[in-house]
């Protein structure tokens, strides 16, 4: 409990000096036990993942990260030999899911909140289009996807009712 109180004091001091710092605001709110009904802020996530972009893939490799492989195995069994899908990769990051999605896509779009992650994905030349956007906003304006993937995205979004509704509305139901 003493450590938590000390952490709160440190973040309060940080906020007093840098009132608009998104990381300080996020940490302070978390330490105070505030809930994130709407998820972490756009500013916090953008800054956090921009800073993480350079080491992202090597860090995940060290952690034996297998989420893209799990998604790949599930999807490939479902889509079989289709090669003309309109695919949206939400929270595409550096493009780890893009590698296995590309052969099935006539159009592969990656959306992420981090411009630095999108720069790394662009280097791979996998996606037809890469867009920096908040997920709900993007889904509300874009429809007609045959497949939507999202690896390790929902944990940042808070309540999922709105996103599930947006996902459903954005999918082709044929």
């Amino acid at each position: 409990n003493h450590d938590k109180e000390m952490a709160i004091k440190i973040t309060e001091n940080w906020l007093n000096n840098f009132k608009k710092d998104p990381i300080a605001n996020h940490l302070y709110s978390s330490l105070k036990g505030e809930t994130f009904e709407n998820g972490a802020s756009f500013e916090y996530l953008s800054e956090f993942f921009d800073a993480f972009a350079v080491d992202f893939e090597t860090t995940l490799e060290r952690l034996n990260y297998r989420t893209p492989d799990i998604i790949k195995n599930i999807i490939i069994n479902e889509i079989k030999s289709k090669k003309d899908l309109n695919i949206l990769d939400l929270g595409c990051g550096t493009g780890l899911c893009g590698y296995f999605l590309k052969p099935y896509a006539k159009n592969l779009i990656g959306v992420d909140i981090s411009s630095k992650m999108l720069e790394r994905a662009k280097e791979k030349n996998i996606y037809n289009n890469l867009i920096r956007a908040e997920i709900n906003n993007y889904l509300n304006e874009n429809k007609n996807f045959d497949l939507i993937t999202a690896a390790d995205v929902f944990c940042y979004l808070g309540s999922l009712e709105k996103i599930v509704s947006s996902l459903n509305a954005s999918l082709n139901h044929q």
Side-chain angles (χ1 to χ4, degrees), residues 69-130:
D69 293 331
I70 293 167
I71 292 172
K72 175 185 175 183
N73 292 334
I74 292 168
I75 289 173
I76 294 199
N77 287 332
E78 291 297 318
I79 60 178
K80 310 276 189 251
S81 62
K82 294 179 183 173
K83 305 279 187 209
D84 61 345
L85 300 174
N86 192 21
I87 300 175
L88 174 60
D89 186 7
L90 287 177
C92 67
T94 61
L96 294 175
C97 289
Y99 283 123
F100 71 83
L101 294 170
K102 185 65 174 172
Y104 303 96
K106 74 175 170 197
N107 189 29
L108 177 58
I109 297 173
V111 172
D112 203 278
I113 203 164
S114 165
S115 59
K116 300 288 186 197
M117 290 285 201
L118 290 169
E119 287 172 14
R120 301 288 310 273
K122 185 177 183 178
E123 293 168 1
K124 293 180 171 99
N125 201 27
I126 298 170
Y127 295 88
N128 297 90
N129 201 359
L130 289 163

Side-chain angles (χ1 to χ4, degrees), residues 42-43 45-47 50 110-116 118 130-134 138:
F42 182 93
E43 295 79 11
L45 292 173
S46 178
E47 193 167 311
D50 277 354
V111 172
D112 203 278
I113 203 164
S114 165
S115 59
K116 300 288 186 197
L118 290 169
L130 289 163
I131 299 159
R132 183 173 185 253
E134 189 278 326
Y138 183 82

Side-chain angles (χ1 to χ4, degrees), residues 4-162:
K4 183 177 178 180
E5 289 173 19
M6 181 63 82
I8 290 171
K9 273 189 184 291
I10 291 168
T11 55
E12 280 176 343
N13 187 41
W14 186 0
L15 279 173
N16 286 335
N17 291 299
F18 304 96
K19 293 194 183 321
K20 294 186 184 223
D21 186 291
I23 294 176
N25 277 290
H26 182 82
L27 291 176
Y28 182 74
S29 296
S30 296
L31 288 166
K32 294 293 277 182
E34 295 176 10
T35 60
F36 296 98
E37 181 66 24
N38 295 320
S41 75
F42 182 93
E43 295 79 11
Y44 166 74
L45 292 173
S46 178
E47 193 167 311
F48 177 80
F49 282 104
D50 277 354
F52 194 20
V54 172
D55 298 350
F56 184 73
E57 290 184 24
T58 55
T59 300
L60 293 183
E61 195 173 296
R62 268 195 339 266
L63 295 172
N64 204 25
Y65 180 75
R66 296 290 170 246
T67 301
D69 293 331
I70 293 167
I71 292 172
K72 175 185 175 183
N73 292 334
I74 292 168
I75 289 173
I76 294 199
N77 287 332
E78 291 297 318
I79 60 178
K80 310 276 189 251
S81 62
K82 294 179 183 173
K83 305 279 187 209
D84 61 345
L85 300 174
N86 192 21
I87 300 175
L88 174 60
D89 186 7
L90 287 177
C92 67
T94 61
L96 294 175
C97 289
Y99 283 123
F100 71 83
L101 294 170
K102 185 65 174 172
Y104 303 96
K106 74 175 170 197
N107 189 29
L108 177 58
I109 297 173
V111 172
D112 203 278
I113 203 164
S114 165
S115 59
K116 300 288 186 197
M117 290 285 201
L118 290 169
E119 287 172 14
R120 301 288 310 273
K122 185 177 183 178
E123 293 168 1
K124 293 180 171 99
N125 201 27
I126 298 170
Y127 295 88
N128 297 90
N129 201 359
L130 289 163
I131 299 159
R132 183 173 185 253
E134 189 278 326
I135 288 171
N136 268 315
N137 291 342
Y138 183 82
L139 288 172
N140 289 334
E141 297 171 8
N142 296 276
K143 310 289 182 209
N144 299 317
F145 293 102
D146 301 306
L147 174 66
I148 300 174
T149 62
D152 294 327
V153 171
F154 299 131
C155 57
Y156 299 103
L157 301 180
S159 178
L160 297 179
E161 287 84 6
K162 193 164 116 180

